[in-house]
Amino acid sequence: MRALRALCPCVCPPSRASSPEDRDGVTGTVPEAVDTFVAIGTSGLKQLQDHEGNRVDTYRELEHALQGEDGCLPGGVVNRLIAEASGDLRAAQGVMDDVKMAASDFLVALARTHFYFVMAELQSHLKVVGKVPDEAVLVTLGKMAGSYALRCVPFAGATLLALRRTLSRAGSGRTLRIICGVLERWSKGITMYLCSQKRHPFPQSRAAQLCGDLYPLFHHAVVNWLGCKEEQVRSAACHSWGHSGGVHDNRAVLGAVTAMVGVLVCEERHCQRAREQLLRLLRQHQRVQDTSRVTENLGHVLQMLGGGQTPTPRGSALAPHTAGHHQVPDVTEEPGPAHKAKPSRPMTLQARTCPAAVLRSQLRHGSEAQRVATLSLLGELARSDAPVARKKLPQVVAAVQLVCNDPSAQVQRAVLEFIWELLSSGSQSCWPRDVVGHIFSEYSRSSGRLAAGGLFAWKPQEDRALQSLCVDILGSLDVTRRGMSQLLWPRLLQYVVPAQYSGVLIPLSRGLRALLERRERAGCEEEEEPDAVDSPEQARLPAPQALLARTLVLAAAPHTSSGRAVAALQLLQALQGWICGALGTAWATEIPLLLQHLAGRAESSLDSAEWEQHVLKFLRASLKLIEDETWSVGLSQQLSRQLGSSAPGSWQKLFLYKALGTALAGCRDLSHVQGQVLRFLQDTDSAELSETQGMISVVSHAAETHFNLVLDTVTAFTRDRFYETSTGWKAQLPQGTERPQATRAALMCVYSGIALRAPREQLLARVDREIMGTILQLSRVTQREMQLKLALVQSVTEVSSAIQTVGDAGSFELSSKQEVTQTLLDWIKEEPADSLVYGVFQALEELSKLRPALSREENRSLLAVCCQAVLSSPSQEGMKRGRTVRAALNMQLLHRRSVEDLGHLIETLLAAEEPSAGFDDVFLVSSQGESVAGAGNQGFSGWQ
């Protein structure tokens, strides 16, 4: 402030002394006038400082002198006059209101020539922390904006910020009116500035900053002053809407809000926020009884906007509300039919005055803010019960269709909210056929954008908000209205099967179950709309097998959403008669058991693999009850179709492979089963691990019932791809055509998978030569790749385990056991490091449990080879040498696991021999192994 005052001689320099030539001319009176002006200012200052005379008269005389002269007072006089007037403004006691007002008027007059000095002084009063500015200071600020609007704009940010700190302390009606007056005048000044931006020196970006400073004040005024309830207002000290000055307070708030809206509509983003606040306030008070006075106040604000008192954008969607709110009954009216019908009256007037062409123009050519506001108004219209409004609804719905594919997230949210209002209104006769489908389409689009990540400009929170809104709308569908059963049933059922709508399964399941219950209670005799369901809608209904396939997939994934699994099972139970009549009795018992298994379990405590087996067991039990071969074939086809549309490697696709194999196992059409098994064997790319695992799941699950058929098909396929030689099987195709080793590995795992799921009574007859023998033949290559090594260990382990599960396997002897054992031992001798990585010891352990038992010399040789492989590993220090910390740690863990596997193998061998002889062999082999390993390698002893 001192720096600004020091600039006074530069801003308003003193009048120059007149020359002798001037004294004789006409202009010779100017210096005399200046001297008189300065004398008046000096005299008035002396009277104020000495408290002489009437201070009101002194201020009025100074004000009159400032208004009639263009001269400039000396800087010292100006500073002292401002200090005296400022002191009177701030005086708490001993100063009458007329003195404060006179001082205020003097400061406003002085600001004509010394604006920045006066404004700096007023701003200093606003910056006092924790203290409400004196009312006289606030009044003076309002006068400054009224007299020097454009010059006040640079101080608008600081002034509005200070007023924000004052809002919560506006406890009296007088203070409230003063603050509203300041807001109104400063808002009008800002509006004047924004309307003349092209001629103003400040940049155009200033509009967004000014609107941002003003919007918190507007929000507070709408929410706390316009939005308060009658009971809260009556208890307040100000009685702002009721008694003792309520009319004046009412006008003050309305004037301030209207003036602030005039600023906010100049900037699109804040214009939209202001409209949302006003519309939210309107909806809030239309749903609450006895709030007509607040609604009337809001109506006055909208009336001012519609009357052109503020610069609203062309085609503003708020204008149609003006007449409606103006017609709201007065609060003095007794509650009655007219009072209860109040929420619909504004909408009725809007329906009469707003033609469909205007709506289409606003939605097609308006800005984003205009489109959103128009959609909000149309939602209010859809909610109205007035006959004239209902008559307009078909035109309104047709207009909304223009923006159903609008790229704006805010517009799409407004469209969904309009559909919500339309669905809640129960006016089915005006629905376009895709009004329900738009909810699902918007959910699918937002899900796609979220999955695509940064490829789209929308923010993730906007898409998640749209998804949540779609779920809320579907969850609130009221199926009790007339015609809803026939109208919603075909539309909702279409969205169960597509995978992109899995996120809305819970409300979708709830709605469909409610519709089915309603149809059952009505006995299909309910009077419905005659054209509610047409043939195209019936044609788009999903097949019963498709519904079963999709609900099984959704039910099998409780680790993703246990609530979704419950919803899928409940929907399956509700649709049991529609899917297949033969399943009704069984499902009435089986599905509650599955639901009971899920009840009370957290997602983290539910084992996914165990739950998946429960679902597959449920599918197997269901298929046993279906004697229709065509139905079972249709189920496998639907599972294949959904399999093709699933993402590679996803849990849905992995489960579908197993479900398809289970469906083939329950199918009585053998030619179809054989064709499907052969198709997967031929079409699967063995180089793709996920596809290979899926093919193995399909073939092995199908073998549970059709063991011989599946094994014969796999054997024929194997002989078609490979031919037998003295050294093993070789590929029929040229070496460069495909990866023979990948195909070998896949087929080896297919054979072992068939053995695991084969009926126990049929397995032993074909496991020796056709399963284990074929696996051995496929594994004989010059050099094994990693995939083939893993397949060999896995196949031997799984076939050995399958044989052990047969009840009478004690008398069964695996003739190829010695050959398989020798194959594994040769691998350990040639590549001891690889054998440890791929867990060969586990395969040897399972194999050693089968008959015929190995001789003592064979067991000793086996132990020697295994111990040598473990003892030949480097010591702990050697593992760290030349490796990263992570690589060394992995080596140590691998060696520890190998030692544990070796221990299990030794236990198994000891159990098959006499204890004393077995211990002697172990001790002898271990001693020989240590001596062979060398003194420098402390591997075995170092891991004790």
Side-chain angles (χ1 to χ4, degrees):
M1 181 175 175
R2 287 194 298 270
L4 287 173
R5 288 174 177 170
L7 292 174
C8 182
C10 300
V11 178
C12 300
S15 301
R16 63 180 178 86
S18 60
S19 62
E21 295 80 14
D22 293 334
R23 291 192 182 98
D24 297 332
V26 178
T27 58
T29 59
V30 175
E32 293 178 2
V34 173
D35 292 340
T36 302
F37 175 73
V38 173
I40 293 174
T42 305
S43 174
L45 175 62
K46 185 176 184 304
Q47 292 179 24
L48 293 174
Q49 289 178 332
D50 297 338
H51 299 281
E52 297 176 357
N54 189 303
R55 298 181 72 83
V56 174
D57 294 339
T58 303
Y59 281 126
R60 295 305 181 194
E61 182 179 359
L62 289 171
E63 179 187 357
H64 179 73
L66 290 170
Q67 291 175 349
E69 297 291 340
D70 293 327
C72 184
L73 294 172
V77 176
V78 171
N79 290 338
R80 289 193 291 274
L81 284 172
I82 291 177
E84 286 295 323
S86 177
D88 287 338
L89 289 180
R90 292 180 300 171
Q93 297 178 353
V95 176
M96 303 297 291
D97 288 343
D98 55 348
V99 176
K100 291 187 176 184
M101 291 303 101
S104 173
D105 293 337
F106 161 72
L107 287 175
V108 175
L110 182 62
R112 187 166 64 94
T113 55
H114 300 82
F115 176 84
Y116 294 100
F117 292 167
V118 175
M119 182 57 75
E121 179 64 20
L122 294 175
Q123 292 292 325
S124 67
H125 297 321
L126 297 178
K127 296 178 181 178
V128 179
V129 180
K131 181 180 178 182
V132 178
D134 194 279
E135 292 180 354
V137 174
L138 295 175
V139 170
T140 307
L141 280 170
K143 294 177 181 178
M144 293 283 287
S147 300
Y148 316 103
L150 296 180
R151 298 172 71 182
C152 286
V153 172
F155 299 90
T159 303
L160 295 176
L161 179 61
L163 289 177
R164 288 171 59 184
R165 296 195 295 263
T166 308
L167 293 178
S168 60
R169 302 185 179 93
S172 67
R174 178 183 175 90
T175 303
L176 175 65
R177 290 193 296 273
I178 292 173
I179 292 176
C180 288
V182 175
L183 285 174
E184 181 178 1
R185 292 191 175 186
W186 278 75
S187 297
K188 290 181 177 179
I190 295 172
T191 302
M192 186 185 304
Y193 160 75
L194 294 177
C195 292
S196 60
Q197 285 187 56
K198 294 182 180 180
R199 305 190 310 272
H200 206 270
F202 295 101
Q204 293 185 3
S205 60
R206 180 72 165 158
Q209 180 179 353
L210 290 172
C211 290
D213 294 335
L214 186 64
Y215 181 78
L217 295 163
F218 169 83
H219 182 271
H220 182 91
V222 171
V223 173
N224 296 280
W225 295 342
L226 283 178
C228 57
K229 297 181 180 180
E230 290 289 324
E231 297 78 11
Q232 295 173 341
V233 176
R234 291 193 185 100
S235 63
C238 63
H239 301 282
S240 57
W241 302 112
H243 314 288
S244 62
V247 175
H248 299 291
D249 295 344
N250 185 9
R251 292 175 181 173
V253 173
L254 292 176
V257 170
T258 304
M260 287 188 286
V261 170
V263 177
L264 296 175
V265 296
C266 295
E267 202 272 330
E268 184 175 350
R269 183 171 67 90
H270 289 91
C271 172
Q272 171 60 21
R273 296 176 68 185
R275 294 174 193 276
E276 290 176 354
Q277 287 295 330
L278 293 175
L279 291 174
R280 188 178 295 113
L281 180 65
L282 175 62
R283 287 194 293 265
Q284 169 189 347
H285 288 285
Q286 282 181 344
R287 296 190 178 102
V288 180
Q289 244 185 355
D290 196 23
T291 57
S292 59
R293 190 175 295 276
V294 177
T295 307
E296 181 183 7
N297 294 332
L298 182 57
H300 285 303
V301 176
L302 299 175
Q303 182 183 11
M304 295 177 186
L305 291 175
Q309 298 183 19
T310 56
T312 56
R314 180 182 179 184
S316 172
L318 289 177
H321 269 53
T322 302
H325 288 291
H326 189 59
Q327 297 296 326
V328 173
D330 189 78
V331 74
T332 57
E333 296 182 8
E334 293 296 329
H339 186 75
K340 293 180 180 179
K342 175 186 59 180
S344 65
R345 291 184 63 182
M347 300 303 107
T348 303
L349 290 170
Q350 176 185 345
R352 293 173 180 172
T353 58
C354 185
V358 175
L359 295 175
R360 288 194 296 270
S361 177
Q362 289 179 347
L363 292 175
R364 181 178 296 166
H365 305 296
S367 64
E368 178 184 2
Q370 290 172 332
R371 297 196 301 275
V372 171
T374 302
L375 288 167
S376 299
L377 294 176
L378 296 182
E380 296 284 349
L381 180 60
R383 187 191 305 154
S384 174
D385 293 328
V388 65
R390 289 301 178 96
K391 187 177 179 181
K392 285 274 187 178
L393 270 182
Q395 301 176 22
V396 170
V397 173
V400 173
Q401 284 185 291
L402 298 174
V403 291
C404 280
N405 295 319
D406 195 288
S408 167
Q410 297 300 323
V411 173
Q412 285 306 318
R413 182 176 183 86
V415 171
L416 289 172
E417 290 175 347
F418 168 80
I419 292 177
W420 197 347
E421 297 289 356
L422 186 64
L423 293 173
S424 302
S425 69
S427 301
Q428 302 93 342
S429 59
C430 69
W431 289 8
R433 292 309 182 202
D434 58 351
V435 66
V436 177
H438 180 77
I439 304 172
F440 293 94
S441 297
E442 189 55 47
Y443 183 89
S444 177
R445 283 195 292 265
S446 58
S447 300
R449 287 189 295 266
L450 285 172
L455 297 179
F456 294 89
W458 287 19
K459 297 180 180 178
Q461 56 267 28
E462 293 177 342
D463 285 309
R464 294 190 184 97
L466 287 175
Q467 285 184 326
S468 178
L469 182 57
C470 292
V471 173
D472 292 340
I473 295 173
L474 293 173
S476 65
L477 290 177
D478 185 4
V479 301
T480 62
R481 296 181 180 271
R482 181 179 180 273
M484 291 288 277
S485 177
Q486 286 292 95
L487 194 61
L488 285 178
W489 168 255
R491 287 169 174 80
L492 294 185
L493 203 61
Q494 295 172 20
Y495 297 100
V496 177
V497 176
Q500 63 265 33
Y501 304 121
S502 300
V504 296
L505 175 70
I506 294 177
L508 193 58
S509 171
R510 188 185 303 118
L512 284 169
R513 286 186 283 117
L515 287 171
L516 286 169
E517 291 175 4
R518 179 175 174 82
R519 290 164 64 91
E520 291 175 0
R521 287 197 305 267
C524 296
E525 297 179 358
E526 183 182 0
E527 184 180 348
E528 299 287 354
E529 300 284 346
D531 59 344
V533 183
D534 52 17
S535 54
E537 289 290 343
Q538 292 286 1
R540 286 194 290 267
L541 291 178
Q545 296 93 328
L547 283 172
L548 175 59
R550 185 59 190 162
T551 49
L552 285 176
V553 173
L554 295 170
H559 59 280
T560 303
S561 173
S562 58
R564 191 179 301 172
V566 171
L569 290 173
Q570 290 174 340
L571 179 59
L572 200 61
Q573 187 175 18
L575 294 172
Q576 58 187 3
W578 193 78
I579 291 177
C580 184
L583 300 175
T585 304
W587 281 9
T589 304
E590 295 294 332
I591 293 180
L593 292 177
L594 293 174
L595 292 173
Q596 184 178 0
H597 184 82
L598 289 176
R601 295 198 180 194
E603 296 177 6
S604 58
S605 64
L606 187 62
D607 184 82
S608 299
E610 177 189 358
W611 172 246
E612 187 180 87
Q613 293 303 315
H614 279 288
V615 177
L616 292 175
K617 181 180 178 182
F618 165 75
L619 176 59
R620 283 193 295 270
S622 301
L623 291 172
K624 289 181 180 179
L625 303 175
I626 300 176
E627 298 180 357
D628 186 355
E629 293 183 2
T630 304
W631 202 98
S632 300
V633 171
L635 177 61
S636 67
Q637 291 173 344
Q638 290 293 337
L639 288 167
S640 298
R641 190 172 293 116
Q642 295 184 25
L643 187 63
S645 61
S646 300
S650 62
W651 65 264
Q652 293 98 326
K653 191 159 191 173
L654 295 177
F655 175 79
L656 280 169
Y657 279 121
K658 300 173 185 176
L660 176 57
T662 303
L664 291 176
C667 183
R668 291 177 170 84
D669 188 343
L670 299 184
S671 61
H672 175 73
V673 174
Q674 185 177 27
Q676 289 294 304
V677 170
L678 189 59
R679 179 176 70 86
F680 274 95
L681 290 171
Q682 293 173 343
D683 297 346
T684 300
D685 184 3
S686 302
E688 292 292 335
L689 182 59
S690 60
E691 290 188 20
T692 302
Q693 291 176 342
M695 179 268 293
I696 295 171
S697 295
V698 172
V699 176
S700 60
H701 280 81
E704 290 183 357
T705 305
H706 309 295
F707 170 68
N708 291 315
L709 175 67
V710 171
L711 183 58
D712 290 341
T713 304
V714 175
T715 301
F717 175 80
T718 303
R719 295 185 180 277
D720 183 59
R721 287 297 179 96
F722 299 91
Y723 63 94
E724 190 171 2
T725 66
S726 58
T727 58
W729 285 9
K730 293 187 177 181
Q732 298 277 10
L733 298 175
Q735 184 70 25
T737 305
E738 62 174 14
R739 295 181 58 188
Q741 291 217 17
T743 305
R744 290 172 181 267
L747 286 173
M748 290 164 63
C749 292
V750 167
Y751 280 104
S752 62
I754 292 175
L756 280 177
R757 299 193 173 276
R760 302 300 91 181
E761 64 276 6
Q762 301 178 29
L763 174 63
L764 297 182
R766 306 187 66 176
V767 68
D768 196 348
R769 185 176 63 86
E770 297 181 69
I771 295 180
M772 185 67 85
T774 305
I775 292 174
L776 277 176
Q777 293 290 337
L778 290 172
S779 68
R780 290 172 183 167
V781 292
T782 306
Q783 184 176 3
R784 296 187 184 94
E785 294 181 357
M786 178 188 69
Q787 194 172 0
L788 194 60
K789 295 175 180 178
L790 286 172
L792 177 60
V793 174
Q794 177 183 339
S795 300
V796 172
T797 304
E798 290 179 351
V799 173
S800 301
S801 300
I803 294 173
Q804 295 174 50
T805 58
V806 180
D808 58 348
S811 59
F812 172 77
E813 291 189 353
L814 183 66
S815 61
S816 56
K817 175 182 177 180
Q818 187 174 9
E819 183 181 358
V820 175
T821 303
Q822 190 60 47
T823 300
L824 295 176
L825 291 178
D826 292 342
W827 179 16
I828 296 176
K829 293 177 183 178
E830 296 171 1
E831 303 169 348
D834 284 353
S835 64
L836 297 181
V837 171
Y838 300 131
V840 180
F841 293 166
Q842 296 178 1
L844 287 172
E845 178 188 353
E846 296 299 328
L847 190 62
S848 62
K849 297 176 183 178
L850 303 179
R851 297 172 62 88
L854 299 178
S855 65
R856 183 175 182 182
E857 291 297 327
E858 291 172 334
N859 282 337
R860 183 182 297 176
S861 175
L862 186 152
L863 282 174
V865 173
C866 294
C867 290
Q868 177 62 29
V870 174
L871 295 173
S872 63
S873 300
S875 63
Q876 295 188 48
E877 294 299 327
M879 292 179 186
K880 297 178 182 179
R881 194 177 301 118
R883 294 183 176 89
T884 63
V885 176
R886 180 180 294 274
L889 181 60
N890 291 336
M891 288 289 294
Q892 294 174 9
L893 293 175
L894 175 62
H895 195 278
R896 183 177 295 116
R897 191 195 70 178
S898 301
V899 172
E900 293 175 357
D901 292 343
L902 179 60
H904 295 312
L905 175 60
I906 292 175
E907 291 178 2
T908 302
L909 295 176
L910 289 175
E913 295 189 12
E914 295 182 6
S916 58
F919 279 113
D920 292 341
D921 292 340
V922 171
F923 179 77
L924 177 62
V925 171
S926 300
S927 301
Q928 292 175 349
E930 284 194 5
S931 63
V932 171
N937 187 351
Q938 301 298 325
F940 186 80
S941 60
W943 292 96
Q944 298 299 318

